[in-house]
Amino acid sequence: AQRVTQPEKLLSVFKGAPVELKCNYSYSGSPELFWYVQYSRQRLQLLLRHISRESIKGFTADLNKGETSFHLKKPFAQEEDSAMYYCALRVYSNYQLIWGAGTKLIIKP
Amino acid sequence: EPEVTQTPSHQVTQMGQEVILRCVPISNHLYFYWYRQILGQKVEFLVSFYNNEISEKSEIFDDQFSVERPDGSNFTLKIRSTKLEDSAMYFCASSQQGNTEAFFGQGTRLTVV
């Protein structure tokens, strides 16, 4: 079955500390993975997709097929990173997104 | 920058009533989607729409649900007879192609009382 797991509902770190938001997936096909972010009172917006291998707002995520993971990392957290972060898997056959439960990231000053 | 627009932002309805949630996708996009998120739960796929027909729907999308693209700009989700458990945030999304970035609307919070 297709599934995305984000084990942490809440992650709280101090400004300047490293951040890692965990995401694991279960999918029999070739996965396409995304991180979406939702800032307070704003819409869901794409942060990263694994195929682009970009760094956006200092965040990176590497697809590890052996561990079936796509963890989101940032070396130095900033207060404006506080938001809800969702990991999602796109199903190749029908383009639907399978979502993790989300992790609320709080950056403390 | 073009955006997906959803109206209303909040809808309160009585159980058993019909509701229509409206979305205006980005104008050159061809694929349209509805997702929902019940409070405290995961975002769930409802339906995808392409070329004026449903391309995929989930188990949630039963006979009480329907989608329509009545004109060249709107994309609507209708719930015929709402139930308490339909209370959720409903997100519309669109993408240029199926395998390109999906852009999301702000969501409509539906409360069934």
Side-chain angles (χ1 to χ4, degrees):
Chain A
Q2 303 139 358
R3 187 166 51 244
V4 176
T5 304
Q6 292 179 253
E8 302 134 333
K9 279 192 171 179
L10 174 67
L11 185 63
S12 180
V13 303
F14 283 102
K15 177 182 164 182
V19 170
E20 183 178 44
L21 300 167
K22 291 186 168 42
C23 172
N24 288 88
Y25 67 90
S26 172
Y27 183 51
S28 56
S30 186
E32 189 176 7
L33 285 148
F34 303 83
W35 277 99
Y36 277 82
V37 60
Q38 189 173 31
Y39 300 103
S40 180
R41 302 186 199 286
Q42 295 187 29
R43 66 190 65 211
L44 283 162
Q45 53 187 282
L46 180 65
L47 180 63
L48 283 176
R49 53 193 300 186
H50 89 269
I51 59 172
S52 60
R53 301 186 66 81
E54 294 172 299
S55 172
I56 306 290
K57 299 185 180 185
F59 285 97
T60 59
D62 290 316
L63 178 62
N64 185 323
K65 290 187 179 180
E67 295 183 359
T68 60
S69 68
F70 188 56
H71 303 326
L72 184 68
K73 299 178 185 179
K74 184 168 182 176
F76 308 105
Q78 297 169 289
E79 287 185 68
E80 54 264 34
D81 296 329
S82 294
M84 199 72 188
Y85 290 80
Y86 294 94
C87 182
L89 166 76
R90 182 150 66 190
V91 176
Y92 176 75
S93 59
N94 58 28
Y95 306 123
Q96 69 169 274
L97 291 167
I98 309 292
W99 298 80
T103 298
K104 184 171 184 176
L105 177 64
I106 297 174
I107 308 300
K108 298 178 283 190
Chain B
E1 189 177 323
E3 289 183 335
V4 176
T5 306
Q6 288 185 246
T7 54
S9 55
H10 191 189
Q11 171 101 41
V12 181
T13 189
Q14 288 207 321
M15 195 167 54
Q17 294 297 302
E18 174 184 286
V19 292
I20 297 176
L21 309 183
R22 300 180 194 280
C23 171
V24 179
I26 294 172
S27 62
N28 64 343
H29 285 188
L30 301 177
Y31 288 77
F32 314 115
Y33 313 87
W34 283 100
Y35 289 84
R36 80 170 186 193
Q37 186 176 31
I38 295 170
L39 188 64
Q41 297 188 25
K42 291 185 177 186
V43 177
E44 301 171 289
F45 170 77
L46 292 178
V47 66
S48 57
F49 192 87
Y50 169 70
N51 202 25
N52 280 320
E53 60 182 26
I54 290 174
S55 48
E56 189 76 25
K57 58 183 181 179
S58 70
E59 291 175 354
I60 303 166
F61 195 88
D62 62 21
D63 293 345
Q64 293 300 311
F65 290 87
S66 62
V67 289
E68 201 175 38
R69 188 152 161 83
D71 52 44
S73 58
N74 290 283
F75 179 53
T76 60
L77 174 70
K78 184 195 291 187
I79 309 175
R80 263 180 267 286
S81 177
T82 50
K83 303 188 276 281
L84 294 176
E85 53 264 38
D86 294 327
S87 295
M89 183 72 97
Y90 288 80
F91 295 105
C92 174
S94 70
S95 62
Q96 200 163 36
Q97 300 293 334
N99 60 352
T100 56
E101 179 182 347
F103 290 81
F104 283 79
Q106 289 269 41
T108 293
R109 179 165 297 286
L110 177 65
T111 303
V112 183
V113 296

